[in-house]
């Protein structure tokens, strides 16, 4: 998943605003099912539960669910320590209260059977997502919103196997990593989505303390559509010998006021993720097919081939 990045100071301020566990009453959504217990899915579950929504977290096996609950518990403890620094008992009560609103399941259809909103946060494979939503549509209550957290795949294409009624309830809800800190959620409108579904999704996003940005289903939505060309052009500057990664990063941080330079950002996001997205857009992206700004990069291909994917592997454009 693509990640938006903020400075440490803005994250601190944002974290303070995210501490409230009171859910505004205006959202019609109260029961959430999240499919996928990785960092994105567990983050979505944490934020929803913190704002007093009942959450079911679903993954393929108990080991994956335990790992997801571990992510949530560790994150909540950090939040509680900042919120309640003078009372370990109050910290424990806060963490336990939020966790009590999260149950787990290894059965997606069972998990979706009582939900107002089902959010998918699984592998970026369109066939896998299509098969999942085909089964979820049969199990979810009538009128339940079905949403994908994809950052790179067309929402309309994911919804293709669904019937007309379920397509009306299908949207994109693109959260940013790390979910508890990042304020933005892109609400992606499909061609057939009902306006009430969009309105309810926007109300939910606000109810969990986030800021919605509504957009049409287009490659990269808003953030990644603007961010990818910037990152790819930075790599091409390097390939042309214009400047080093360090000098390009310094120029953008000090000259444009960005908290991270493009190569720091590439390494943070993951070079394999960037390659996956730009290759897909170049081959078949709507309105982007054959666009030279997404043409294959020798430097990027070399790093990915050698397993140098950025921060997560200890080496990318920089060593960590």
């Amino acid at each position: 998943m693509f990640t938006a990045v903020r400075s440490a100071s803005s994250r601190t301020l944002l974290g303070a605003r995210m501490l409230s566990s009171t859910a505004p009453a205006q959202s019609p959504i109260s029961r959430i099912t999240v499919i996928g217990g990785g960092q994105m899915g567990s983050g979505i579950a944490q934020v929803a539960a913190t704002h007093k929504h009942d959450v079911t977290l679903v993954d393929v096996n108990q080991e994956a669910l335990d790992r997801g609950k571990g992510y949530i518990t560790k994150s909540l403890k950090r939040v509680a320590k900042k919120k309640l620094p003078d009372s370990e008992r109050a910290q424990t009560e806060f963490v336990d209260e939020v966790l009590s609103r999260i149950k787990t399941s290894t059965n997606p259809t069972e998990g979706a059977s009582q939900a107002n909103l089902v959010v998918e946060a699984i592998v970026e494979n369109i066939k896998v997502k299509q098969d999942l939503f085909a089964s979820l549509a049969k199990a979810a209550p009538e009128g339940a919103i079905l949403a994908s957290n994809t950052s790179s795949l067309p929402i309309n294409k994911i919804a293709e196997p669904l019937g007309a009624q379920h397509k009306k309830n299908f949207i994109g809800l693109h959260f940013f990593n790390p979910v508890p800190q990042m304020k933005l959620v892109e609400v992606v409108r499909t061609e057939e989505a009902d306006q009430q579904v969009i309105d309810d999704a926007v109300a939910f996003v606000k109810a969990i303390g986030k800021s919605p940005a509504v957009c049409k289903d287009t490659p990269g939505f808003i953030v990644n559509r603007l961010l990818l060309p910037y990152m790819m052009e930075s790599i091409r500057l390097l390939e042309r010998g214009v400047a080093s990664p360090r000098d390009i990063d310094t120029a953008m941080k000090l000259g444009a006021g960005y908290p991270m330079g493009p190569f720091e950002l590439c390494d943070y996001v993951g070079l394999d993720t960037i390659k996956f997205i730009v290759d897909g857009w170049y081959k078949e992206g709507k309105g982007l097919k054959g666009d030279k700004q997404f043409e294959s990069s020798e430097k990027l291909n070399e790093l990915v081939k050698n397993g140098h994917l950025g921060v997560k592997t200890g080496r990318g454009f920089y060593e960590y």
Side-chain angles (χ1 to χ4, degrees):
M1 300 299 166
F2 236 137
T3 307
V5 179
R6 294 183 187 255
S7 65
S9 60
S10 65
R11 285 187 176 185
T12 302
L13 292 171
L14 180 57
R17 292 197 294 270
M18 290 292 294
L19 292 175
S20 170
S21 61
T22 301
Q26 291 157 345
S27 172
I29 295 170
S30 60
R31 299 184 304 277
I32 320 299
T33 294
V34 181
I35 312 293
Q39 289 189 336
M40 289 299 296
S42 61
I44 296 167
Q46 175 188 329
V47 170
T50 299
H51 289 83
K52 297 193 179 298
H53 293 76
D54 294 324
V55 179
T56 300
L57 182 64
V58 179
D59 214 315
V60 292
N61 54 47
Q62 192 58 48
E63 181 182 357
L65 289 170
D66 290 343
R67 188 163 53 246
K69 287 293 288 284
Y71 293 148
I72 295 169
T73 302
K74 185 176 180 180
S75 177
L76 285 173
K77 285 181 178 179
R78 288 196 299 266
V79 172
K81 192 171 183 179
K82 291 179 181 179
K83 179 181 181 182
L84 304 160
D86 300 324
S87 173
E88 290 188 10
R89 178 179 176 181
Q91 292 174 25
T92 300
E93 289 175 350
F94 172 82
V95 172
D96 289 346
E97 180 191 0
V98 176
L99 289 175
S100 72
R101 289 191 283 273
I102 303 174
K103 63 180 182 179
T104 60
S105 174
T106 56
N107 187 326
T109 54
E110 180 183 285
S113 63
Q114 301 296 319
N116 307 122
L117 168 66
V118 182
V119 182
E120 164 271 313
I122 63 172
V123 62
E124 289 286 81
N125 181 299
I126 199 153
K127 182 64 166 61
V128 174
K129 291 180 188 289
Q130 287 176 333
D131 290 346
L132 173 65
F133 279 111
S135 64
L136 293 175
K138 297 174 184 177
E142 183 178 356
I145 298 175
L146 303 177
S148 175
N149 181 58
T150 182
S151 62
S152 62
L153 299 175
I155 302 298
N156 284 299
K157 192 168 182 63
I158 297 173
E160 275 183 358
L162 303 182
Q165 183 56 47
H166 288 113
K167 285 182 178 180
K168 291 181 180 179
N169 298 331
F170 194 88
I171 60 171
L173 277 182
H174 181 214
F175 290 78
F176 289 77
N177 190 30
V179 177
Q181 281 78 40
M182 299 308 298
K183 188 77 170 174
L184 180 67
V185 179
E186 292 175 320
V187 180
V188 186
R189 180 196 302 274
T190 66
E191 295 169 355
E192 299 175 78
D194 187 84
Q195 183 58 47
Q196 187 60 55
V197 170
I198 300 299
D199 293 343
D200 289 349
V202 166
F204 166 71
V205 169
K206 292 179 178 178
I208 61 172
K210 304 294 186 185
S211 294
V214 180
C215 66
K216 291 182 179 180
D217 182 23
T218 188
F221 313 137
I222 299 171
V223 174
N224 291 341
R225 183 63 175 269
L226 296 173
L227 199 58
L228 259 299
Y230 161 66
M231 297 165 87
M232 291 303 295
E233 185 59 26
S234 300
I235 295 172
R236 299 197 199 288
L237 283 178
L238 171 64
E239 291 177 329
R240 292 195 293 267
V242 173
S244 68
R246 183 68 65 192
D247 285 337
I248 293 171
D249 280 352
T250 298
M252 293 310 296
K253 287 189 288 186
L254 301 184
Y258 287 12
M260 297 178 76
F263 292 99
E264 292 170 326
L265 184 56
C266 284
D267 279 354
Y268 186 86
V269 168
L271 304 188
D272 54 334
T273 301
I274 296 169
K275 176 175 166 54
F276 173 80
I277 295 174
V278 296
D279 286 353
W281 288 359
Y282 186 77
K283 292 175 183 175
E284 56 184 4
K286 184 178 180 181
L288 300 179
K289 186 176 180 179
D291 191 322
K292 286 191 175 296
Q293 66 182 330
F294 303 116
E295 202 169 17
S296 182
S297 156
E298 289 186 12
K299 182 63 176 178
L300 182 61
N301 290 344
E302 177 189 354
L303 288 167
V304 172
K305 180 181 179 180
N306 292 330
H308 303 319
L309 309 182
V311 174
K312 61 187 174 184
T313 61
R315 182 178 174 185
F317 287 102
Y318 298 109
E319 292 189 9
Y320 300 89

